[in-house]
Amino acid sequence: MAHPKTPLPNAAGIPSSIHYLYDPTLNKGTAFTREERDALGLWGLLPPGINTMSEQVLRVMGNYRRKTSDLEKYIFLAALQDRNQTLFYRVLADYLEEMMPIIYTPTVGLACQEYVHIFRRPKGIFISSRNKGKFSKILKNWPNKDVRVIVITDGERILGLGDLGVAGMGIPVGKLSLYTACAGIHPSWCLPVTIDVGTNNVTLQNDPLYFGMRHDRIRGDEYDSLIDEFITAVQENFPHTLIQFEDFGNLNAFRLLNRYRSRACTFNDDIQGTASVALAGMYAAMRMTGGKLTDQKVLFFGAGEAGTGIGDLIVRAMMDEGLSREKARQCCWFTDSKGLVVKSRQRLAEHKLPYAHDFEHHTDFVDAVRALKPTAIIGVSGQPKAFTQPVLEEMARSNERPIVFALSNPTANAECTAMEAYAWTDGRAVFASGSPFAPVNLKGTTYEPGQGNNAYIFPGVGLGVIATRSKHVTDEMFLAASRVLAGEVSEDDFDRGSIYPPLLKIRAVSAKIAVAVAEVVFDQGLAGVPRPDDLRAFIQSHIYEPNYQSYV
């Protein structure tokens, strides 16, 4: 995106020279060159010395590493983003493996819990029932008019932390930071949105610093009309925009996805992104163990949006490998708060019915493991320590290489730790987690557990969808993303015990996923642009690199 080469006045009447220092999209700090300082009238407004961006990164990292808590690091990075956007994304790109646990899970969960207490500056758009009938007008207040991706939450199910109301805004902000850091989507194309429909969190309602709506959550037709108005407003103002639903509660997540997936360019990351990264883990586990996907029996601990989303995509993948839908569903089993999901149970939620098999009911997870003898267990419950020692020992008795995915976030909510997974299976587990765990040394062997982070999937999918101006987002796109991601796991990764590639490769992986997604878009006739001769070059042309531009 080109910037003006002469000083600009601004609406607040701030002198144009200062504008270059105060606007985070323009600011280069001490990296403004002598020529730029001459042309823009910056002499005297900065120290006389000039730093390169590399030197600025060193300063940032020195200050960052002096912070004594992860929350302080989060606040420091948020302030950098508010001050110098290009430098912020340069730091993320160069140190993504170190930054990922801070800008997203697990630290972003704590930041959301503390959001109203650490609030500095708004990022994104806040809309509420108070603004009903005016959503389109409110979206026009956003300064960037070329919005291409929106992440929206209503704050009801923030990670595994529950209802955080308007304080859930940290999630859309964090997700969009990863769109840029992991896939090179230009930050000016990104818009975080929180729709405030109230909160059932009494602690927040009674917090004097809470700045959201202090009433219980709106439900039913009134809620649906607000979401419908928002989707319509987006299509009016930003007609080529991808809308990502994020951290909506089970009551609404499936409904909204089913309602809008054929009416808008939209997906739900908790359902489809989680499914795609988990399926990639299963594909990679098959490569590691020499197994076959259609021979697996998967038992889920948790039957919400993440679990059934994974199950649905595994079924699609198994169908691609020759199974009927019915046979593929027989390979996926679920437990919820009342135990094993089976046909004899009454009043099951609609999304659980396809996986309610004819089998005896077990209330305890370990009993279900003993009875079913699954080859893989996948935790998506938000219930910590659910994969107990008896559960994991039973998995090890039934399987030479038991597959154990503890995917709940944040780290404190993981169904088991990496150490527990390896120790209680005698080092034989194929393990992955949703939040990061440190390497584990067990009996002289070091294991580096892979993180099944959605950031491996949604940025690349988003890039492919945005570049092609796809009309919709389909399951085939997530299947393609899973296959690409699994194919990027090397033998060295397997030797370390990981079924995901290092985060250091995520930008290159995202570009490959974007190419595969674009292929699906064109093949399905969903593209809003002509098919280019060189698809890789086409995708590359849409990737933003966080480097300073010259103003002279």
Side-chain angles (χ1 to χ4, degrees):
M1 177 176 291
H3 291 300
K5 296 182 182 293
T6 55
L8 288 174
N10 76 5
I14 298 174
S16 55
S17 300
I18 290 291
H19 182 66
Y20 279 94
L21 300 179
Y22 284 2
D23 186 334
T25 67
L26 302 178
N27 185 25
K28 297 166 66 170
T30 57
F32 281 105
T33 65
R34 296 176 64 89
E35 293 77 15
E36 288 170 331
R37 296 179 190 209
D38 285 337
L40 304 179
L42 295 177
W43 288 110
L45 303 180
L46 290 163
I50 297 171
N51 290 126
T52 64
M53 177 178 267
S54 296
E55 291 167 341
Q56 289 180 313
V57 169
L58 287 176
R59 181 185 296 122
V60 167
M61 292 307 298
N63 286 315
Y64 171 86
R65 287 168 176 162
R66 279 194 286 270
K67 302 300 178 184
T68 57
S69 74
D70 288 346
L71 186 60
E72 286 299 319
K73 291 177 178 179
Y74 178 93
I75 293 170
F76 174 80
L77 290 175
L80 175 61
Q81 187 178 20
D82 289 341
R83 186 172 67 250
N84 185 330
Q85 180 178 270
T86 308
L87 184 58
F88 170 77
Y89 284 111
R90 180 77 270 156
V91 168
L92 291 195
D94 290 352
Y95 293 91
L96 186 59
E97 195 164 19
E98 184 173 352
M99 299 293 169
M100 182 81 85
I102 304 300
I103 63 170
Y104 207 64
T105 182
T107 306
V108 72
L110 176 60
C112 287
Q113 289 176 306
E114 298 293 332
Y115 185 77
V116 301
H117 300 274
I118 65 173
F119 183 80
R120 301 294 196 274
R121 181 177 178 177
K123 294 181 174 78
I125 288 282
F126 297 84
I127 54 179
S128 71
S129 56
R130 184 177 292 170
N131 312 123
K132 185 170 173 55
K134 300 177 181 178
F135 287 5
S136 184
K137 183 178 179 180
I138 287 173
L139 289 182
K140 288 179 172 62
N141 292 338
W142 187 247
N144 298 325
K145 305 307 178 186
D146 187 19
V147 172
R148 304 195 192 182
V149 57
I150 288 173
V151 177
I152 179 173
T153 187
D154 70 355
E156 185 170 10
R157 195 198 64 83
I158 298 300
L159 300 174
L161 303 172
D163 186 349
L164 295 182
V166 76
M169 179 56 107
I171 298 298
V173 170
K175 286 279 185 175
L176 287 165
S177 295
L178 294 179
Y179 268 109
T180 300
C182 299
I185 292 175
H186 199 289
S188 69
W189 295 351
C190 301
L191 174 56
V193 176
T194 290
I195 182 164
D196 186 356
V197 295
T199 177
N200 295 341
N201 187 325
V202 177
T203 301
L204 285 178
Q205 289 184 1
N206 294 331
D207 188 334
L209 296 182
Y210 185 64
F211 37 54
M213 305 297 287
R214 295 175 184 269
H215 57 67
D216 287 349
R217 286 189 166 270
I218 294 169
R219 300 291 190 190
D221 291 344
E222 185 180 0
Y223 177 92
D224 288 350
S225 70
L226 293 173
I227 301 296
D228 206 52
E229 182 182 348
F230 170 75
I231 297 293
T232 301
V234 170
Q235 292 175 328
E236 289 175 356
N237 287 275
F238 312 120
H240 303 297
T241 295
L242 167 65
I243 303 170
Q244 175 181 322
F245 288 106
E246 187 69 30
D247 285 355
F248 283 72
N250 288 341
L251 182 65
N252 294 310
F254 293 102
R255 290 192 316 106
L256 296 179
L257 177 61
N258 291 332
R259 181 172 183 172
Y260 293 109
R261 67 189 307 170
S262 61
R263 294 168 52 183
C265 183
T266 186
F267 74 98
N268 184 305
D269 186 53
D270 303 299
I271 298 173
Q272 295 159 287
T274 301
S276 187
V277 78
L279 176 60
M282 289 295 293
Y283 278 141
M286 297 304 96
R287 287 181 53 208
M288 176 186 277
T289 63
K292 187 178 179 183
L293 185 64
T294 51
D295 291 335
Q296 305 309 301
K297 182 185 289 185
V298 185
L299 176 60
F300 292 84
F301 186 78
E305 56 195 270
T308 52
I310 298 169
D312 289 346
L313 200 63
I314 288 176
V315 167
R316 291 293 298 268
M318 287 182 169
M319 290 171 64
D320 282 355
E321 295 187 16
L323 290 190
S324 67
R325 187 183 301 275
E326 182 181 357
K327 289 288 187 183
R329 283 177 173 168
Q330 287 287 337
C331 296
C332 295
W333 297 72
F334 286 83
T335 60
D336 59 15
S337 60
K338 295 180 174 62
L340 192 63
V341 174
V342 292
K343 279 187 177 181
S344 60
R345 285 186 42 191
Q346 303 296 314
R347 295 189 295 277
L348 284 170
E350 184 176 353
H351 67 272
K352 300 177 187 178
L353 292 176
Y355 299 102
H357 303 310
D358 190 6
F359 198 77
E360 59 186 322
H361 181 237
H362 293 278
T363 55
D364 293 334
F365 188 68
V366 67
D367 290 337
V369 171
R370 289 193 185 104
L372 288 170
K373 296 189 175 359
T375 58
I377 52 174
I378 298 180
V380 282
S381 64
Q383 300 298 313
K385 304 300 181 182
F387 292 170
T388 60
Q389 186 169 351
V391 166
L392 291 169
E393 287 177 345
E394 186 64 35
M395 286 294 294
R397 270 191 289 273
S398 302
N399 302 280
E400 180 62 29
R401 298 299 306 273
I403 297 168
V404 179
F405 291 177
L407 299 182
S408 290
N409 290 314
T411 307
N413 286 1
E415 286 78 11
C416 67
T417 67
M419 174 59 84
E420 290 165 347
Y422 293 124
W424 294 338
T425 63
D426 197 28
R428 293 186 281 118
V430 179
F431 176 77
S433 58
S435 289
F437 281 101
V440 170
N441 187 279
L442 181 69
K443 298 179 181 179
T445 300
T446 299
Y447 304 88
E448 296 183 18
Q451 184 187 357
N453 193 318
N454 291 19
Y456 280 115
I457 295 294
F458 71 80
V461 170
L463 177 59
V465 168
I466 290 168
T468 59
R469 294 194 173 183
S470 181
K471 296 178 180 66
H472 304 294
V473 183
T474 65
D475 288 339
E476 288 77 12
M477 298 176 195
F478 287 102
L479 280 169
S482 298
R483 290 169 180 141
V484 170
L485 177 57
E488 289 299 304
V489 186
S490 69
E491 291 299 324
D492 286 343
D493 297 326
F494 289 150
D495 290 343
R496 295 196 308 271
S498 179
I499 53 171
Y500 292 100
L503 282 172
L504 295 173
K505 293 177 60 177
I506 198 167
R507 205 166 167 97
V509 171
S510 294
K512 292 181 179 180
I513 288 174
V515 172
V517 167
E519 291 274 10
V520 175
V521 173
F522 286 113
D523 289 347
Q524 294 187 324
L526 296 173
V529 298
R531 185 171 194 143
D533 294 332
D534 187 337
L535 199 49
R536 291 180 184 277
F538 173 73
I539 290 296
Q540 195 64 40
S541 71
H542 287 78
I543 294 177
Y544 159 81
E545 291 291 343
N547 297 314
Y548 290 137
Q549 294 192 12
S550 173
Y551 297 144
V552 295

